[in-house]
Amino acid sequence: MSDFITFLPSETIRCIISHLSQLDCVECMRVSRLWFDRVPSYATALWVRLEVSSQSWETFNQSMLQCLTPHVQTVLIREMSTVKILVKLREMNCPIRSLEIENHAAYIAQDEYSYTLSNDAGDLLEAINLFDSTLNEISIMGQQGYISVHDILLRFPKLTHLTLLYDGWKPKFLPEQSTNTDTSVLGLNLTFPNITYLNLDNAIADEQGIRSILRHCPELTSLVISTDFWFTEDSVSFDILFTTCPNIRHLIWRVGKNPSYYAPLFDKWKKQTAKLNNYPKGAVRELVFIDYMHQVPHLEPILEQSDQLLEFMHIEVISSVHWNFLTRLSFPCLKNLHIDSVNMTGDEWQTFIRRCPHVETISLYLLMEIPIMSQIIEALGSLEHLQHLEMRNNLEDIHLPVDLQPTPWHLLSKRSNLRSLELSRVCFSRDSLLSLCKIPSLLELVLDMQHHDECCTAEAILEFTNALSTENAKLSKLTLIALSNLTDAALENLAPIDSLLHLMVAFNGFITNNGVNAFLNGCDKKSDTVREVHIASCISVSDGFWYSNKM
């Protein structure tokens, strides 16, 4: 039988190989000497991004080297001898444009207060410098704090993107470093006009460090500042960012938050390298602010300048603060809103929410007594574009009146775009619970009662599940947490909802295997779809995933 690689058109072979992984490509090269020689020329698209770990380097070293052509542009190196790999890549003439280094160990701990340099530490910057003519992006994550931001900026003035994350680790006492770079030259009139994206964490932990970097990056548009250090009132002023970098459009300022929490935003911002010249100075499109309440006043002038343009806003105050300033602004472009621990009166919340007419996603983590909650829900009912709503009551002890009045959830039934509703620690009357069934477009519903299910009697839950089965034909995912009065009969009521394929029940003592099986096997017998039930911490049912018999 003829070898297809000898007679098929090049375009066809290249299309076939494009569906392989890098490891599959290497395995193919072991078929014959002919394949070893020819496959790399057809696999150039596979090797534009190279991911190297100790295991992969040792597993297919020679075959991989055969594939390292000038097409390699992005390189990710994980937990290995970084310098050795960079030197080899340079020998193979790979024009690296983007370099990512993860968990490069620069220091070896001798004891609690003593550190020595690893063999790889002193030469890392020199090895990176081998690609100074092509590098646009550098990302060093998890390294142990011996490379400074100043060193990188001075060595690589052509950079457009820089990420330097110590990943929450910093030695108590670092050994002195001797470098060829005198960081004091940043005090001179130097600028780095190509830098548009900076992602820094414990590399800078004081105002002087921030200022000394940012004032030399006038074209910066995306900035992420994160730290494990809890700033005092006199340490860092949030408003210095816009006095030094007036072109910032995307900003994350967070204290004590896991850097991976906003990874999707980082990826999106890194792709937005175009300058936004039609934006006014000091106005942002996307803002994440997580800090103590003493920094909140610094937000006011930034929001005053940005309110008409802001599209994404996440405000999380580490200690609760009353902040009615928001009621004086309008946010016509806001699409995504998350607010945590900002307190306002019911009237103030209504004013603020109604000034965000085009918002699509809202998350509110607040201290809410029932009257304030009702006013917030009333305002939410006026939002025509709302698609995803999450509400969590941070109030530990809610005083329920004897005759609990229904909150106006029925107003959300007028919203034809609402797809997802997640409610945590929210009190429901019977009528309020039933009103959730009347939201016609709802695809996903999460109810997490957590010590607030006093009014959710077994009878009310039966009515609720029965109403869902008769009034909601689109619900596909339902999560019920800490509904202590949920019974097998309620699960049987859910069985006729053919669209409901995913059910989760947690922290319940009444449901049994019979109720779970009744739900799993109660859908349309003619359908080929498979139902799934996730059980967690239910006394009479085994934890784990259950599936219908059609699997």
Side-chain angles (χ1 to χ4, degrees), residues 366-370 392-399 425 452:
L366 308 172
L367 300 171
M368 294 180 288
E369 290 286 0
I370 291 175
R392 186 181 73 192
N393 197 343
N394 290 337
L395 203 61
E396 293 292 336
D397 184 20
I398 298 180
H399 301 287
R425 302 176 58 154
H452 297 290

Side-chain angles (χ1 to χ4, degrees), residues 54 110 116 140 166 171 227 262 266 365 367 377 397 468:
S54 299
Q110 303 298 305
T116 61
I140 303 177
Y166 290 169
T227 180
Y262 292 104
F266 302 163
Y365 298 173
L367 300 171
I377 296 168
D397 184 20
L468 273 180

